[in-house]
Amino acid sequence: MDVNRRQFLTYLGAGTAALASLATGIPALAAGQSISGKTADHLFGLEDKKHKFNPKFKPIEPSTKDDVVLPSGYKYDVIAVYGDRINQNGDTFGFNADFTCFLPIDGSADHGLLWVNHEYLGELEYYVTGYDVLNADPKQNKRTAEQVQKYLYALGGSVVEVKREGGRWKLVPDSKYGRRVSGLTKHELTGPAASLAKEVIGTFANCSGGVTLWNTILSCEENFQDVVDDCRLKDNRHYGWVVEVDPFDPASTPKKHTALGRFSHENTAMVIAPTGQLVVYMGDDANDQYVYKYVSKGKFNPSAGKQNSKLLEEGTLYVANFGKGKWIALDFASNEALQKATDSDGKALFASQADVLVNCREAAKAVGATPMDRPEDVEVHPIDGSVFIAMTNNSKHGNFYGQIVRLFEKDGNHAGLDFTFEIFAAGGPQSGFAAPDNMAFDSAGNLWVVTDISSSSMNSGIYKSFGNNGIFFIPTTGANKGEVAQFASAPVGAEMTGPWFTPDETTLFLSVQHPGENLKSYDQPTSHWPKGGNAVAMPGVIAVTGF
Ligand code: FEO
Ligand code: CA
Ligand code: CA
Ligand code: CA
């Protein structure tokens, strides 16, 4: 059933050329020359390391310890936590770190920019704005204007410059690249629904994301409605998009690409199809929501550098019907189901492609897409091109532990309309993991999966045996295919998010999100990570070494 490896590698020719171009310079890069080069390797499925990565570790046992627990021989450095200064202007690192992406400077594996998403505040908002969420009446939003400003500034993303010196990863606090993109930053809209607004203020609820082939990052707006409500914002249609940021150009305006649709975006996984078109896989993380892919109209042009961003402005958005193994185009002009769809009062749901993109969930439902079990991260296998999708769980249907689906595009064509799939790994006590969320591949095609058991169910009831959330290693080929080994365990109340390897695979970046969440009283913190003692727990980003 595996996609034929030779076949997959055949169409990597385009990728090889593209990579050479990336390495020899895209015009207008701030650092002057090669920047990420290898960061985008996995997007091409191009791996010059040829399965060299062979991490050896003795799996850890599930743990309830209030720390990041790692196998013997591995250690972690805390790079940044909420509130740390990241540039000369005094901007500070945001709250609840999520997606991370390392972009090398001058091809270095020890020095680069780290993009980090900042997703939400939850009841830990108290530590950011002083608003007492635990004792506030949820029906009465009494946040002051100043508290709303602090709230919005704490979300979005950070660009931080990071360096490894003397074996330790550190933040460069006065970096010229250090930048906050936040709930207060001006954004542009592109694509078919761009006429919604001339400019949009803010990005937030930034969950996971992805890297592009031209050295920018894509950051995904997930549960935006909570922030819209808490901050009394006017138009929720400005949120729920995929946002492109160029970390190497601090003056650039981030773009929200409406062609990729509006829903609770978890992440993006970009690949070049054999046709040369760019394909972006995406999940909508909610019970009974859908799996999407975007296929660009034009072809990737390696010599066009950052101009390739235009490919994210014109293309077709598809949604998956798993029962038929088909991708259905959410194209208003050609799809009768969209043209005829009405609400319960018989009123037409859509009048244009822009309407379809703004209301993707309704459009997907109207065309008969398959409701899934919280599709979160999607990643493309670097060797055979199969597409892995983490289904976290779906308590509405008795699916409490989740599973990882492996999707095979027909003839390995990521731009095509037909696919088959299998369940690659199932969560549960039998496998040792539950609620799979973000994933990353190493160059040998091993899967690294983080888990997201909610802080309210962690360590209790049917989730007791799993301990705290963790990170798990699962080979996708060979004798140990599908066997799960635990690599790390998170502090109390936290999930680890955004796993990302340096190009030399000696470092794994991870976020530690919401340690101490689900506490009963601010006087009785449940986590003190990372400082220990009586310190209040703080979310942040770490670098794991020892590989
Ligand atoms: Fe923000 Fe889908 O986790
Ligand atoms: Ca997530
Ligand atoms: Ca990812
Ligand atoms: Ca999650």
Side-chain angles (χ1 to χ4, degrees):
M1 200 57 214
D2 286 12
V3 174
N4 178 294
R5 176 175 151 77
R6 179 181 298 272
Q7 184 183 43
F8 184 69
L9 291 173
T10 333
Y11 63 77
L12 294 174
T16 315
L19 194 69
S21 156
L22 270 179
T24 50
I26 299 167
L29 288 181
Q33 34 179 295
S34 153
I35 286 186
S36 80
K38 286 181 179 294
T39 293
D41 279 18
H42 65 289
L43 302 182
F44 300 105
L46 180 80
E47 294 303 338
D48 53 5
K49 291 173 284 290
K50 293 280 182 273
H51 300 222
K52 209 170 71 195
F53 189 66
N54 184 20
K56 292 207 169 52
F57 66 91
K58 189 169 176 285
I60 65 161
E61 293 296 320
S63 169
T64 56
K65 198 175 167 191
D66 185 28
D67 197 1
V68 175
V69 179
L70 296 167
S72 149
Y74 292 79
K75 72 166 179 82
Y76 74 94
D77 302 321
V78 176
I79 295 175
V81 296
Y82 170 68
D84 284 351
R85 185 164 68 85
I86 61 166
N87 64 19
Q88 286 162 356
N89 302 336
D91 277 311
T92 52
F93 196 69
F95 205 71
N96 267 354
D98 201 304
F99 173 63
T100 76
C101 175
F102 177 77
L103 297 157
I105 290 177
D106 296 331
S108 172
D110 299 327
H111 181 207
L113 300 185
L114 194 67
W115 168 269
V116 184
N117 275 1
H118 302 297
E119 190 176 9
Y120 72 103
L121 302 180
E123 78 256 18
L124 302 180
E125 176 184 347
Y126 182 69
Y127 303 129
V128 175
T129 71
Y131 189 68
D132 186 341
V133 182
L134 289 179
N135 294 304
D137 177 352
K139 284 189 213 106
Q140 286 196 329
N141 182 350
K142 291 194 169 163
R143 289 176 183 85
T144 64
E146 195 194 342
Q147 284 174 324
V148 166
Q149 294 284 300
K150 283 183 182 165
Y151 190 128
L152 292 170
Y153 181 74
L155 304 184
S158 293
V159 179
V160 293
E161 185 176 342
V162 293
K163 260 187 188 162
R164 177 157 53 177
E165 280 170 345
R168 269 185 65 88
W169 280 97
K170 284 182 197 140
L171 170 77
V172 179
D174 52 1
S175 169
K176 63 177 179 181
Y177 294 112
R179 177 184 185 187
R180 283 304 317 283
V181 174
S182 76
L184 305 170
T185 305
K186 193 169 95 180
H187 289 66
E188 278 169 20
L189 294 175
T190 78
S195 58
L196 264 184
K198 243 172 127 182
E199 66 175 45
V200 157
I201 302 301
T203 184
F204 40 73
N206 305 72
C207 191
S208 187
V211 70
T212 69
L213 296 165
W214 49 93
N215 258 334
T216 61
I217 65 91
L218 297 176
S219 176
C220 290
E221 296 177 340
E222 193 193 37
N223 295 315
F224 57 90
Q225 191 61 51
D226 301 341
V227 184
V228 168
D229 294 344
D230 286 349
C231 298
R232 300 184 292 262
L233 301 176
K234 283 194 193 77
D235 195 338
N236 69 12
R237 298 174 306 167
H238 293 186
Y239 312 102
W241 302 107
V242 173
V243 186
E244 183 177 11
V245 182
D246 183 353
F248 285 98
D249 182 0
S252 59
T253 303
K255 290 177 188 161
K256 298 198 180 192
H257 291 300
T258 69
L260 278 64
R262 176 174 162 272
F263 44 88
S264 291
H265 278 280
E266 174 72 23
N267 92 314
T268 64
M270 187 180 278
V271 71
I272 303 174
T275 56
Q277 289 159 289
L278 206 65
V279 179
V280 184
Y281 291 93
M282 300 173 285
D284 180 347
D285 177 10
N287 281 336
D288 300 333
Q289 289 304 323
Y290 309 97
V291 175
Y292 298 83
K293 77 173 175 185
Y294 169 83
V295 180
S296 68
K297 182 166 183 238
K299 292 179 182 178
F300 179 69
N301 175 3
S303 59
K306 289 179 183 176
Q307 290 304 313
N308 282 298
S309 171
K310 289 268 172 218
L311 295 172
L312 300 177
E313 299 180 15
E314 195 180 358
T316 305
L317 185 65
Y318 295 88
V319 66
N321 181 319
F322 281 80
K324 293 182 175 158
K326 292 268 185 213
W327 291 103
I328 310 164
L330 293 176
D331 177 43
F332 184 74
S334 65
N335 192 318
E336 262 190 37
L338 293 174
Q339 295 160 9
K340 290 184 177 161
T342 54
D343 64 15
S344 51
D345 298 330
K347 196 170 154 264
L349 276 178
F350 316 104
S352 65
Q353 185 59 20
D355 281 352
V356 168
L357 293 168
V358 169
N359 305 292
C360 271
R361 287 181 168 178
E362 289 79 7
K365 191 175 176 189
V367 302
T370 306
M372 304 299 286
D373 296 339
R374 291 187 59 199
E376 293 219 63
D377 212 343
V378 185
E379 296 293 331
V380 179
H381 193 290
I383 298 163
D384 70 18
S386 57
V387 181
F388 286 65
I389 312 165
M391 305 290 171
T392 293
N393 55 26
N394 190 338
S395 54
K396 282 170 75 178
H397 302 301
N399 181 359
F400 293 98
Y401 297 134
Q403 70 270 14
I404 299 169
V405 168
R406 186 178 192 172
L407 183 152
F408 304 91
E409 297 281 20
K410 190 179 177 208
D411 301 326
N413 179 10
H414 295 99
L417 299 179
D418 301 281
F419 65 87
T420 56
F421 69 95
E422 65 184 28
I423 305 300
F424 168 72
Q430 85 292 347
S431 58
F433 77 98
D437 188 339
N438 297 157
M439 302 182 288
F441 280 106
D442 61 39
S443 60
N446 299 305
L447 195 59
W448 297 74
V449 185
V450 299
T451 56
D452 179 16
I453 300 169
S454 72
S455 45
S456 56
S457 359
M458 199 184 293
N459 280 314
S460 64
I462 60 167
Y463 294 101
K464 198 163 176 60
S465 68
F466 302 100
N468 294 352
N469 278 311
I471 178 160
F472 298 82
F473 170 86
I474 318 179
T476 62
T477 54
N480 300 34
K481 176 178 165 177
E483 281 178 25
V484 181
Q486 184 164 359
F487 175 75
S489 174
V492 170
E495 62 174 311
M496 286 187 286
T497 54
W500 192 276
F501 285 102
T502 48
D504 63 358
E505 296 180 320
T506 62
T507 299
L508 175 64
F509 296 107
L510 282 170
S511 291
V512 176
Q513 194 184 71
H514 58 74
E517 194 179 61
N518 202 43
L519 75 179
K520 299 276 178 293
S521 147
Y522 297 116
D523 298 337
Q524 295 164 292
T526 55
S527 169
H528 304 281
W529 189 87
K531 288 197 174 144
N534 290 322
V536 168
M538 279 294 146
V541 64
I542 63 172
V544 176
T545 50
F547 294 95

